[in-house]
């Protein structure tokens, strides 16, 4: 282990930063940010729109008669998992708004086509010990970007 003064000072500086800024990006671990836009953007792996009714991807050739679209921001990969865990269980509230912003950006046309009057986030389970609703934070991110009111349940 290197015991040079520079390494010692660097370690103490890093510790001091953690005391002042006790949060970091779940993906790249940069301090003083709940989630980097670059990390969130690079974590998103697009998946096709599927039909809730039949479960098949929506394409021009295969359209279900009872087509009900299901949109997803990303597949559930390791980085998305880290972001969701930090949002839900470590009170990274600003991360919810950031994810909501990405959802609004990706599905803006789809959401506007529905002409919603408001957004109602799904409430937490009654037994949940979280101090805030992570779905409401995501809804607020969507609402802020698309200028749609949020009504809490």
């Amino acid at each position: 282990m290197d015991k040079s003064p520079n390494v010692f000072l660097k370690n103490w500086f890093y510790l001091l930063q953690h005391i002042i800024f006790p949060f970091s990006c779940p993906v790249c671990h940069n301090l003083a940010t709940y989630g980097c836009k670059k990390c969130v953007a690079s974590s998103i792996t697009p998946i096709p729109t599927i039909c809730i009714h039949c479960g098949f991807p929506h394409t021009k050739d295969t359209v279900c008669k009872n087509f009900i679209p299901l949109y997803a921001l990303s597949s559930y990969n390791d980085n998305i998992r880290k972001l969701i865990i930090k949002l839900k269980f470590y009170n990274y509230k600003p991360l919810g708004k950031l994810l909501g912003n990405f959802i609004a950006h990706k599905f803006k046309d789809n959401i506007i086509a529905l002409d919603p009057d408001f957004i109602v986030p799904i409430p937490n389970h009654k037994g949940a010990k979280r101090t805030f609703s992570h779905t409401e934070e995501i809804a607020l991110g969507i609402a802020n970007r698309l200028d749609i009111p949020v009504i809490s349940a």
Side-chain angles (χ1 to χ4, degrees):
M1 184 169 167
D2 189 1
K3 298 200 185 236
S4 68
N6 288 340
V7 172
F8 179 76
L9 289 174
K10 185 177 179 182
N11 289 340
W12 271 102
F13 182 68
Y14 187 76
L15 179 63
L16 182 62
Q17 282 181 313
H18 264 294
I19 292 170
I20 296 170
F21 305 110
F23 49 89
S24 62
C25 175
V27 178
C28 70
H29 306 292
N30 281 340
L31 296 175
T33 180
Y34 285 100
C36 305
K37 287 182 182 180
K38 182 179 175 184
C39 289
V40 173
S42 67
S43 299
I44 294 172
T45 53
I47 59 174
T49 303
I50 64 167
C51 174
I52 293 173
H53 179 72
C54 69
F56 288 105
H58 176 63
T59 64
K60 288 184 241 175
D61 302 327
T62 57
V63 178
C64 178
K65 289 180 192 176
N66 302 316
F67 180 70
I68 301 171
L70 173 65
Y71 305 106
L73 178 64
S74 176
S75 62
Y76 194 67
N77 60 49
D78 191 48
N79 286 342
I80 292 293
R81 184 182 148 280
K82 289 175 188 176
L83 293 166
I84 299 295
I85 286 172
K86 288 291 186 175
L87 169 63
K88 287 178 71 171
F89 303 111
Y90 292 89
N91 297 331
Y92 274 42
K93 286 173 77 171
L95 187 54
K97 289 185 180 84
L98 180 63
L99 289 170
N101 198 325
F102 273 90
I103 291 169
H105 175 72
K106 182 172 181 180
F107 299 115
K108 179 180 180 179
D109 294 336
N110 303 87
I111 295 169
I112 290 173
L114 295 171
D115 192 27
D117 294 323
F118 48 84
I119 298 171
V120 180
I122 299 169
N124 287 342
H125 181 277
K126 288 183 181 180
K129 294 180 173 42
R130 290 186 284 280
T131 58
F132 70 99
S133 170
H134 60 286
T135 57
E136 186 171 343
E137 294 303 314
I138 293 171
L140 289 170
I142 296 169
N144 289 342
R145 180 142 186 162
L146 300 180
D147 199 28
I148 303 169
V150 172
I151 297 177
S152 297

